[in-house]
Amino acid sequence: MTANPDEGEIVGAAPAPDGPVSVIDYNERIPNNVGLATDRKLQRALESWQPKFLDWWASLGPSIPTRDVYLRTAIAVGRDGWANFARVPMEQYRWGIFLSERNPGRTIGFGRHLGEPAWQEVPGEYRADLRRLLVVQGDTEPASVEQQRHLGMTAPSLYDMRNLFQVNVEEGRHLWAMVYLLHAYFGRDGRDEAEQLLQRNSGDLDKPRILGAFNEQTTDWLSFFMFTYFTDRDGKYQLGTLKESGFDPLARTCEFMLREEAHHMFVGTTGVQRTVERTAALLAAHHTDDLWEYGGIPLAVIQKYLNFQFSVSLDLFGSETSSNVASYYTAGLKGRWMETRRKDDHLLADATREVPVVRDGVITTRTVPLLTALNLDLRAEYVADCERGLRRWNRELEQAGLPHRLTLPHEGFNRKVGAFAGHWVSPDGELMEAADWERRSSEWLPAPADRDRVAALMQPHYEPGEFASWIAPPGVGINDLPVEYDYVRF
Ligand code: BYC
């Protein structure tokens, strides 16, 4: 078993359970650990949504036909033991509803209801806000599957293709998680929202997905790795705040989702790392930045992809100052990252924070009530986490004896939401005129020519143990299997 200390990710066999577990019943039409069989009305409602989900998966899920894939499926929800690995035909994957164990004594950890018992039902006054949070969260899950649907056609190896499909089935399950909450707790309008989650589609001009980054195309595997690194990481942080929610079913749902999310982070961190490793080896061997002819991706292009995905992911945190986030917090709906470990009053009524602002042609700060700055509080935690991966990637360059380094662009670069929207900031943080910025943007963001050259490298490699020229093989396989195992069969 191999643990990745940065991510808490386990890539080996599932450990034996050592805490309370609730076993998931796979004899049910919808596998679950929420006692669905005892609520006939809810069961019928979800069973009528299920075929629509399967139709959606068939038409907008992975487009490459496969016989079976070596996938991990949750079999029990407990502290540790929960994953089972097997070869599964993708269309027979058992999506289900899994919540972490209930802690009967749990109380609300922040806001005006601090110390009150966590809610098992939706409080009427917060119904609209909670529904909105669930819908935004739920909307991202199928969106990412849609964005990634053609990537199987150009997988750099069977190992990578398997990881893509693992991410996809889990995003599908995360959609189930939100749909369960909408059906179980929001009646008719929850059911309507659940329908809409399958009707909006990524990039659709008439019915796009709600958040910007989920309407961008994931055109190639470098984009995919950057997406799983930067955008899935937003997911990790947003789920972390919802895990603190006073609405207990949401908290328990997110807690379990976060366990699955760790694998997505792992795919991103190691995917970019292996790409950089290959680039570093080619750079060291050939002493030229133009690596295309050697089958590698130039570091400058990797940096452009990074700049793009980081900046669109920062937009996912909303504005630096937001009355929405203040009311979510005060109401006890959405907490802070690691809320329970924070040593303050968990009310934040008098606290303040500096937030960035562009004023009179300069980037400066202003002081606002902390409550309204909680999107920035979360974003700052996220950025610090992003830096950790960057250090890992830069170690590859260091170890190859190269002076080059990857960097995160300035928080104001390429932003469409918040204080920097409508301003033109370079990756170094220089405020520019729009025309100058536009003229230089192809130095900073992937230009069509860069994307074309990356796309040209994306040749599929479907022989076990074979890897594309632009990426190094991983150190270990999945679940203690060899790297050259046939993780996907056709
Ligand atoms: N695009 O007050 P503000 C994941 C809207 S990823 C478009 O600053 P707020 C995953 C905003 O809705 C995690 N619109 O925003 C990853 C508001 O509209 P209204 C997903 C945007 O509410 C990979 C207005 O602008 N989960 O799980 O404080 C693969 C004013 O905004 C955007 C969540 O996000 C945008 N980027 O914060 C698979 C958690 N940003 O109300 C999955 C749930 C803002 O005026 N969502 N707007 O009509 C939330 O907590 C909050 O809604 C947001 C925005 C953090 C998104």
Side-chain angles (χ1 to χ4, degrees):
M1 194 171 73
T2 315
N4 169 354
D6 282 7
E7 312 294 355
E9 160 65 356
I10 294 165
V11 235
D18 69 348
V21 293
S22 81
V23 174
I24 295 157
D25 186 353
Y26 275 92
N27 293 320
E28 303 252 355
R29 205 160 121 193
I30 302 173
N32 71 90
N33 72 340
V34 294
L36 201 54
T38 61
D39 186 341
R40 294 290 303 150
K41 192 166 166 232
L42 176 60
Q43 188 177 25
R44 271 202 304 277
L46 285 164
E47 283 180 358
S48 78
W49 187 81
Q50 189 177 34
K52 295 173 198 161
F53 169 82
L54 293 173
D55 281 351
W56 167 82
W57 178 267
S59 60
L60 290 177
S63 62
I64 186 169
T66 50
R67 177 149 59 103
D68 57 34
V69 183
Y70 187 71
L71 290 176
R72 162 181 94 165
T73 307
I75 49 168
V77 175
R79 268 235 304 282
D80 289 309
W82 62 284
N84 178 54
F85 287 85
R87 290 186 185 275
V88 186
M90 289 273 272
E91 61 285 0
Q92 286 171 27
Y93 188 81
R94 301 297 308 280
W95 285 278
I97 301 162
F98 317 132
L99 269 62
S100 285
E101 290 298 304
R102 185 167 162 191
N103 168 359
R106 180 167 178 258
T107 55
I108 299 171
F110 57 95
R112 77 163 72 96
H113 302 284
L114 181 70
E116 295 175 19
W119 309 306
Q120 302 307 323
E121 294 294 332
V122 176
E125 61 195 302
Y126 305 139
R127 192 182 155 83
D129 278 348
L130 261 176
R131 193 183 63 201
R132 180 174 167 68
L133 286 171
L134 295 183
V135 167
V136 174
Q137 180 63 48
D139 192 71
T140 61
E141 313 288 0
S144 66
V145 176
E146 293 164 1
Q147 290 172 295
Q148 295 160 13
R149 75 176 299 247
H150 297 306
L151 288 175
M153 303 284 196
T154 53
S157 70
L158 293 183
Y159 166 91
D160 289 292
M161 192 194 276
R162 176 263 166 211
N163 282 346
L164 164 72
F165 293 155
Q166 182 70 53
V167 169
N168 291 161
V169 293
E170 286 174 357
E171 301 300 8
R173 208 201 66 70
H174 293 179
L175 169 62
W176 269 97
M178 293 301 127
V179 165
Y180 162 71
L181 295 174
L182 287 167
H183 273 237
Y185 296 96
F186 292 86
R188 173 90 191 255
D189 38 337
R191 291 195 292 277
D192 289 346
E193 294 285 11
E195 300 280 311
Q196 294 297 319
L197 288 173
L198 296 177
Q199 282 167 16
R200 283 186 295 272
N201 293 143
S202 178
D204 189 310
L205 289 181
D206 297 324
K207 285 189 160 185
R209 291 296 177 183
I210 297 171
L211 300 177
F214 292 88
N215 289 304
E216 304 284 351
Q217 288 181 347
T218 306
T219 45
D220 56 67
W221 279 76
L222 183 55
S223 300
F224 171 64
F225 291 139
M226 291 294 178
F227 183 98
T228 41
Y229 188 79
F230 288 110
T231 307
D232 276 277
R233 193 170 305 273
D234 167 54
K236 167 181 163 183
Y237 278 81
Q238 298 291 351
L239 290 173
T241 66
L242 297 175
K243 177 174 95 72
E244 306 289 343
S245 182
F247 179 44
D248 202 42
L250 174 60
R252 290 165 55 209
T253 299
C254 292
E255 188 173 337
F256 188 70
M257 288 164 77
L258 274 165
R259 287 161 180 251
E260 293 174 317
E261 208 64 45
H263 174 257
H264 308 190
M265 310 284 101
F266 165 82
V267 170
T269 312
T270 57
V272 178
Q273 183 177 357
R274 289 163 49 217
T275 309
V276 173
E277 183 185 337
R278 183 78 187 125
T279 292
L282 290 172
L283 260 173
H286 301 289
H287 309 288
T288 167
D289 290 334
D290 184 7
L291 299 178
W292 299 116
E293 62 172 304
Y294 302 105
I297 304 180
L299 200 62
V301 173
I302 298 177
Q303 179 71 58
K304 290 187 202 181
Y305 273 66
L306 183 163
N307 290 347
F308 174 76
Q309 204 65 44
F310 179 68
S311 56
V312 298
S313 300
L314 290 187
D315 278 347
L316 293 173
F317 289 84
S319 302
E320 290 82 354
T321 47
S322 159
S323 56
N324 283 345
V325 78
S327 53
Y328 294 154
Y329 186 85
T330 306
L333 306 181
K334 185 178 175 186
R336 285 171 295 171
W337 179 251
M338 299 286 172
E339 182 70 44
T340 45
R341 292 200 204 158
R342 305 243 188 165
K343 302 222 178 325
D344 54 33
D345 66 2
H346 305 279
L347 299 171
L348 316 180
D350 303 318
T352 57
R353 194 193 205 286
E354 296 288 293
V355 297
V357 61
V358 180
R359 195 189 298 129
D360 304 329
V362 283
I363 300 173
T364 169
T365 61
R366 66 191 174 107
T367 310
V368 299
L370 175 57
L371 275 174
T372 63
L374 290 179
N375 284 340
L376 181 60
D377 179 87
L378 188 65
R379 201 178 84 193
E381 297 281 345
Y382 164 86
V383 172
D385 196 12
C386 289
E387 301 269 12
R388 281 194 276 277
L390 224 74
R391 282 200 287 276
R392 261 176 97 121
W393 304 338
N394 281 332
R395 268 204 300 276
E396 294 294 339
L397 296 165
E398 227 173 287
Q399 280 165 8
L402 297 164
H404 313 65
R405 297 293 177 261
L406 292 165
T407 53
L408 292 180
H410 186 271
E411 59 178 342
F413 172 71
N414 192 37
R415 299 294 309 282
K416 308 254 180 320
V417 174
F420 296 101
H423 296 284
W424 306 93
V425 181
S426 75
D428 292 337
E430 185 197 339
L431 207 53
M432 303 176 70
E433 292 298 325
D436 294 338
W437 192 95
E438 288 294 350
R439 206 169 27 251
R440 295 194 59 190
S441 67
S442 65
E443 290 171 37
W444 303 323
L445 291 169
D450 297 319
R451 290 199 185 274
D452 289 349
R453 298 201 84 165
V454 170
L457 279 183
M458 299 290 135
Q459 300 301 325
H461 288 264
Y462 296 160
E463 287 301 316
E466 216 184 81
F467 284 81
S469 61
W470 56 271
I471 189 164
V476 288
I478 304 296
N479 194 26
D480 285 342
L481 288 172
V483 170
E484 52 278 2
Y485 184 73
D486 53 343
Y487 291 101
V488 181
R489 295 192 297 192
F490 298 93

